[in-house]
Amino acid sequence: MTKPSFLITIDTEGDNLWHSYRTITTCNTAFIPRFQSLCERFSLKPT
């Protein structure tokens, strides 16, 4: 029996890129370590 396959991608756009043209932030990058921990816990390989 084979295991299901998943493709996990990471969107690298800035926060609110389409709503605020004067100030584009990247605060969402603060969640990368939490996401990485989740991937490691389940042996997932994000791309």
Side-chain angles (χ1 to χ4, degrees):
M1 186 170 179
T2 60
K3 293 181 180 181
S5 297
F6 294 95
L7 177 63
I8 301 171
T9 61
I10 300 170
D11 186 354
T12 59
E13 294 176 357
D15 303 328
N16 300 322
L17 184 62
W18 307 111
H19 298 287
S20 176
Y21 297 106
R22 293 179 187 230
T23 304
I24 299 172
T25 62
T26 56
C27 297
N28 56 5
T29 59
F31 296 98
I32 290 176
R34 187 173 87 176
F35 176 69
Q36 181 64 40
S37 294
L38 178 73
C39 291
E40 289 173 5
R41 183 177 348 145
F42 292 101
S43 299
L44 303 171
K45 297 178 183 178
T47 59

